[in-house]
Amino acid sequence: MTDTVLTPERATPVGNADEINELLRRYGVKFGIYKNGTFKEQLFPFDPIPRIITAEDFKAMEKGLIQRVDALNMFLYDIYHDKNIIKDKVVPEDFVYISSGYLPQCEGVTPKNNIYSHISGIDLVQAKDGEWYILEDNLRIPSGASYPLIARELTRVASPSAFSGNDIVDNRNYAKLLKDTMDYSNCGGINAILTPGRYNAAYFEHSYLAELTGSVLVSNDELFVEDNILYHKTYSGGKTKVGALYRRISDEYLDPLTFEPKSLIGIPNLMEAYRTGNVGVINAPGNGVADDKGIYYFVPKMIKYYLGEDPILKNAPTYLPFYEEDKKYVLENLEKLVIKDVAEAGGYGVVFGSELSKEKLEEFKNTIINEPRRFIAQEVIDFLDLPILEGGEQVMRKADLRAFVLSGETTRVWASGLTRFSRNPDSFVVNSSQGGGFKDTWVLSR
């Protein structure tokens, strides 16, 4: 253990990893995954060496993240209303409407204060030259904020001197940021967090955030719509109006009368209550059109189009096989690119060309030729390795950062975030579902 952590280069372990992971297990800080049709819960391994971000670095990142999320919210409003960005040929019409995330049922629906992505999880990596690159925009139901929150609580107890002796921004304000965001979208009534239940991968987070924000944790059978108003059933047999619903279930299962009719976890007529402005839904249905991995390619153009500004944060160099010129480049350079299936998430559907045999390369090329809209290709960014503890020794592993941006009366970036790392020395994939771990992210105040 150390009492001084001043710079990214001098980050050292804080607290005992085994003790903290045991506490996380006892608190139920796990995530669930389905494998071969079986649900399994497992620990999200915590590493005690924090990631350090300087105040100067965070300030630049913060400005770029606010710019990006503001443009994405403007894009979502535009796509479901005037469609000027399509009319002006900045984003191709077909590219929007064939996106699996575009929902025609959301056409003309205006959420309160025109905010669609209230909570955005933006995944970044830092290259070895210090520059940050955006890898993905997660605007539907991004998860993960609870892990650094509770990990910070435990390490604060384990090593209070590390926090009292260094200029580290306190990350406990996430609950206030989230509540402010929910209140700003509230249409009159209580705040509620909708969970599909304890077998959901992020159930711990649902219950933890409900507790922190003073929201009611609800399942669909506790909610009903009457006269286009969403109500929560009270224990006494009465009803309470719900003004803001932070839903943690996917769009297609939200309302069986609007989307998937076989959904058993949705709320019939929820979309009618939402359409008539009687409830705020966080995040808004239909956001998937903006976090489609193919649409990601156009975000720098959106920033220029809507804000008249140059992007502060760069995309990873990206190619769309949808375009013939890009397809030609991808097919000629597949062995040195990373290919992502736009419909996949959680680290699935990611293929590194360098890992494919000649036969597999040819097979994959044919798939790209036949299904060009299905993929994007990116240059492999040799992003920073961060130290982790393994077997009592420090080793270096690839790590990314999920930054959380909350949009309410203003757009704010949480001065913390979820740093995920690969436990495989040969892998760039850091997702928890792929066996990764996480560490605390310390933003220095000066």
Side-chain angles (χ1 to χ4, degrees), residues 183-196:
D183 288 346
Y184 192 65
S185 295
N186 192 298
C187 299
I190 63 170
N191 289 333
I193 296 180
L194 173 63
T195 178

Side-chain angles (χ1 to χ4, degrees), residues 407-427:
S407 301
E409 189 170 2
T410 59
T411 305
R412 295 178 286 181
V413 180
W414 184 36
S416 186
L418 178 64
T419 291
R420 301 173 296 183
F421 62 86
S422 171
R423 291 193 289 166
N424 180 345
D426 301 315
S427 177

Side-chain angles (χ1 to χ4, degrees), residues 18-123:
D18 291 338
E19 290 177 6
I20 293 173
N21 275 299
E22 173 60 20
L23 286 171
L24 290 170
R25 185 192 67 77
R26 288 169 56 188
Y27 279 114
V29 186
K30 302 175 182 179
F31 68 94
I33 55 174
Y34 282 91
K35 283 189 176 180
N36 302 319
T38 302
F39 178 81
K40 295 181 180 179
E41 281 188 317
Q42 61 191 64
L43 188 71
F44 192 8
F46 172 75
D47 182 76
I49 306 176
R51 173 179 221 151
I52 311 297
I53 299 177
T54 66
E56 182 181 11
D57 218 5
F58 181 76
K59 186 176 180 180
M61 186 195 305
E62 178 182 43
K63 190 175 179 182
L65 288 168
I66 290 171
Q67 178 195 59
R68 189 176 184 96
V69 169
D70 283 349
L72 284 163
N73 266 308
M74 295 172 78
F75 170 74
L76 282 162
Y77 178 87
D78 191 14
I79 287 303
Y80 288 114
H81 292 82
D82 301 325
K83 302 170 178 51
N84 289 321
I85 201 166
I86 293 175
K87 294 172 186 175
D88 292 335
K89 302 187 184 304
V90 178
V91 177
E93 180 177 17
D94 290 347
F95 214 83
V96 171
Y97 296 134
I98 62 175
S99 168
S100 61
Y102 166 73
L103 299 181
Q105 300 93 330
C106 295
E107 277 292 330
V109 180
T110 307
K112 186 177 179 182
N113 299 313
N114 295 348
I115 297 173
Y116 284 78
S117 187
H118 309 83
I119 303 149
S120 306
I122 311 298
D123 293 344

Side-chain angles (χ1 to χ4, degrees), residues 46-315:
F46 172 75
D47 182 76
I49 306 176
R51 173 179 221 151
I52 311 297
I53 299 177
T54 66
E56 182 181 11
D57 218 5
F58 181 76
K59 186 176 180 180
M61 186 195 305
E62 178 182 43
K63 190 175 179 182
L65 288 168
I66 290 171
Q67 178 195 59
R68 189 176 184 96
V69 169
D70 283 349
L72 284 163
N73 266 308
M74 295 172 78
F75 170 74
L76 282 162
Y77 178 87
D78 191 14
I79 287 303
Y80 288 114
H81 292 82
D82 301 325
K83 302 170 178 51
N84 289 321
I85 201 166
I86 293 175
K87 294 172 186 175
D88 292 335
K89 302 187 184 304
V90 178
V91 177
E93 180 177 17
D94 290 347
F95 214 83
V96 171
Y97 296 134
I98 62 175
S99 168
S100 61
Y102 166 73
L103 299 181
Q105 300 93 330
C106 295
E107 277 292 330
V109 180
T110 307
K112 186 177 179 182
N113 299 313
N114 295 348
I115 297 173
Y116 284 78
S117 187
H118 309 83
I119 303 149
S120 306
I122 311 298
D123 293 344
L124 310 92
V125 293
Q126 190 173 25
K128 290 184 175 177
D129 64 0
E131 185 159 10
W132 290 90
Y133 290 89
I134 305 286
L135 285 187
E136 288 184 9
D137 304 295
N138 299 282
L139 311 179
R140 285 179 258 198
I141 43 174
S143 63
S146 61
Y147 296 106
L149 270 172
I150 194 165
R152 178 77 63 89
E153 285 296 324
L154 294 176
T155 52
R156 186 181 284 109
V157 172
S159 183
S161 60
F163 296 90
S164 61
N166 290 293
D167 299 310
I168 303 162
V169 178
D170 193 333
N171 75 345
R172 285 175 288 190
N173 68 331
Y174 185 79
K176 185 178 187 307
L177 293 176
L178 180 56
K179 186 177 185 306
D180 287 349
T181 299
M182 294 176 74
D183 288 346
Y184 192 65
S185 295
N186 192 298
C187 299
I190 63 170
N191 289 333
I193 296 180
L194 173 63
T195 178
R198 71 167 305 276
Y199 290 109
N200 181 264
Y203 179 72
F204 161 76
E205 178 160 283
H206 307 166
S207 57
Y208 188 57
L209 293 179
E211 179 184 349
L212 290 179
T213 59
S215 303
V216 179
L217 183 67
V218 297
S219 55
N220 69 312
D221 58 0
E222 298 173 80
L223 300 172
F224 67 96
V225 174
E226 184 177 87
D227 296 327
N228 290 336
I229 295 174
L230 180 66
Y231 291 103
H232 175 235
K233 300 174 187 176
T234 63
Y235 291 113
S236 61
K239 60 186 181 182
T240 303
K241 186 177 185 295
V242 177
L245 187 69
Y246 179 13
R247 51 80 177 225
R248 299 300 298 259
I249 67 175
S250 299
D251 287 355
E252 61 267 33
Y253 302 114
L254 265 180
D255 182 344
L257 298 182
T258 301
F259 303 116
E260 173 51 62
K262 294 181 181 179
S263 172
L264 299 177
I265 57 175
I267 306 156
N269 287 314
L270 173 63
M271 285 299 292
E272 285 305 309
Y274 172 58
R275 272 191 200 97
T276 51
N278 291 327
V279 65
V281 178
I282 302 168
N283 282 339
N287 279 9
V289 69
D291 74 6
D292 181 301
K293 289 183 176 68
I295 291 292
Y296 159 95
Y297 176 90
F298 298 98
V299 178
K301 296 182 180 182
M302 290 178 202
I303 293 170
K304 191 73 175 177
Y305 181 79
Y306 293 117
L307 302 176
E309 301 168 358
D310 292 324
I312 296 167
L313 294 171
K314 294 181 180 178
N315 277 12

